[in-house]
Amino acid sequence: MKATKIFDKGHQWIMFGRDPEKPENIIDTNQYMIVAGDRALLMDPGGIEVFAPMLGAILHHVKVDEITDIFASHQDPDIISSLGLWDQALPHAKLHSPWLWEGFLRHFGMNNIQYAAIPDEGSELTLGELDIRFIPAHYLHSSGNFHVYDPKAKILMSGDVGAALEACEAPLYVEDFDEHIPKMEMFHKRWMPSNRAKNDWVNRVRDLDIEYMAPQHGRIFKGENVKRFLDWFEALEVGVAIP
Amino acid sequence: MTSSAEPVEDKLVALASIAAELHSVMGVVWNVSLAGKNAKVISAQAGDKGRGFRPITESIDEISQQAIRGVDEISSEALRLSKISVHEQRSIDAYQRFNSVVKKDADAKYIKTISPAVKKVEDKMRTSMSEFKKSMNHLTLLLETMDQCMLSARAVASVSRIVTSSGQEYRDKLTVVSNDLDKAASYIKQRLSNSYRHLNNVNALRQKGI
Ligand SMILES: [Fe+2]
Ligand SMILES: [Fe+2]
């Protein structure tokens, strides 16, 4: 599992992914961690298969009991099916996730971790000196769904929004936006169910100052490419897979 | 329902198969119980004439009570074993994943901080493994006891056929009851032996570490 610091000024953002040992038939995922002082937030920690490489990679950066918080943007297996294992690794941690999914997520096995339900309108979390926000992203694609915004680092962790399906050795950042479109188009058309929800999200996110948009699959959008993505996504017709 | 257990069957499937075998036994055990009740009625109707076969009707009744209790116990232990097995499987899987971190990332700066969690996961695995073993032994014992019980049932059935008594009419009735009992007992014995086979497969798979 490769770990890359994508931000390191006072606090850090580390991206984990591009795992060369990942089983071939599971979708490649990006996991993220914010380290602020002696606390760390693990975001969309991934499926059961990536648990061991993730834990190993994390222990190069923080002590296990410094991971005080976990965030799961929604309920998907590639996001959080590792929960039953994290529950044993981080028994004192809190899981921040949509209130809607609590009863479902507990099926992954949660005996120790505390469920911190995020209300529909979103909420905030303070990690040491850092305040981060859970931004609503309902129906993108899950009916209860949030993204993480860090106003200091100007990073939006955008879950499945901005996802691209590509090889595990793909570069970390989008270089040529137009070239990147074909890798995202089918995913967004098929997985995002509602134009209304999508446009509502685009409007909300346009109000944020974003330097990096970091999705759970594919590459990170930087600077101008964030704006390009928002324009492209706004114009895209989604939820149209009915034959 | 499958009555033959392939040696390659999955551990959890093997355990579920035991529960299925026992489920089919349940109905038949009620036939044994009915045989016991009928035997008692025959004995009561025969009055003095039935004195010769009273010990036999009493045995049939006793065996039927024992069989009902036995199947009940075996069913709940088999269910318990299935549940324990799922826990065991999960705890072994967790241990292997934690252990792979300890081995592969031995050079990680904070690797030692995971040790308490690994220890807990290992303890949990050992506890569930020993619970599994205990439940497995208990189930084996219950199956053996039940097998003995069915053996006695068949013996009583065959003795009742040759018992001499002055009441021919009651003897015929008793023969019908004995035949029912014999049929039920031999069916149950077959199911028990299938359950054994599944249990042996579970054991073999465990020894192979699957
Ligand atoms: Fe998803
Ligand atoms: Fe995803």
Side-chain angles (χ1 to χ4, degrees), chain B residues 90-100 118 121-122 125:
Chain B
R90 282 183 74 163
S91 68
I92 293 171
D93 177 74
Y95 176 70
Q96 283 167 349
R97 290 181 195 274
F98 274 80
N99 211 28
S100 83
V118 179
V121 170
E122 188 177 354
M125 176 184 72

Side-chain angles (χ1 to χ4, degrees), chain B residues 34-115:
Chain B
L34 206 62
K37 286 203 177 78
N38 285 340
K40 270 179 108 177
V41 169
I42 293 163
S43 166
Q45 283 172 345
D48 275 355
K49 284 183 197 164
R51 199 176 294 141
F53 52 73
R54 191 149 301 144
I56 290 185
T57 57
E58 268 164 22
S59 295
I60 293 175
D61 187 45
E62 207 177 288
I63 285 166
S64 73
Q65 299 299 325
Q66 219 182 319
I68 289 173
R69 273 197 309 273
V71 168
D72 234 26
E73 268 183 298
I74 293 173
S75 295
S76 60
E77 193 60 42
L79 189 67
R80 214 172 82 85
L81 188 60
S82 290
K83 282 183 185 163
I84 293 173
S85 177
V86 173
H87 283 148
E88 190 202 34
Q89 199 73 56
R90 282 183 74 163
S91 68
I92 293 171
D93 177 74
Y95 176 70
Q96 283 167 349
R97 290 181 195 274
F98 274 80
N99 211 28
S100 83
V101 175
V102 174
K103 281 190 182 145
K104 272 194 183 161
D105 292 275
D107 62 329
K109 195 172 168 189
Y110 301 110
I111 192 72
K112 286 219 165 77
T113 64
I114 196 68
S115 304

Side-chain angles (χ1 to χ4, degrees), chain A residues 74 76 78-79 160 216-217:
Chain A
H74 60 292
D76 267 349
D78 64 327
I79 298 281
D160 281 326
Q216 192 233 352
H217 310 278

Side-chain angles (χ1 to χ4, degrees), chain A residues 172-190:
Chain A
L172 238 47
Y173 294 94
V174 174
E175 285 146 12
D176 183 325
F177 186 80
D178 290 332
E179 248 178 46
H180 194 59
I181 289 174
K183 299 183 182 104
M184 306 189 287
E185 199 163 348
M186 186 284 283
F187 186 96
H188 288 79
K189 274 185 174 168
R190 181 71 202 243

Side-chain angles (χ1 to χ4, degrees), chain A residues 8 32 42 61 70 75 80 101 106 108 112 164 184 187 210 215 235 237:
Chain A
D8 190 5
Y32 297 93
L42 189 57
H61 301 274
I70 304 174
Q75 83 296 355
I80 189 69
W101 289 117
R106 286 185 183 277
F108 286 133
N112 304 303
M184 306 189 287
F187 186 96
I210 301 170
E237 280 281 307

Side-chain angles (χ1 to χ4, degrees), chain A residues 92-113:
Chain A
H92 308 297
K94 267 188 187 171
L95 172 67
H96 305 269
S97 212
W99 70 269
L100 195 66
W101 289 117
E102 177 170 357
F104 297 74
L105 284 173
R106 286 185 183 277
H107 277 283
F108 286 133
M110 207 178 104
N111 301 311
N112 304 303
I113 287 177

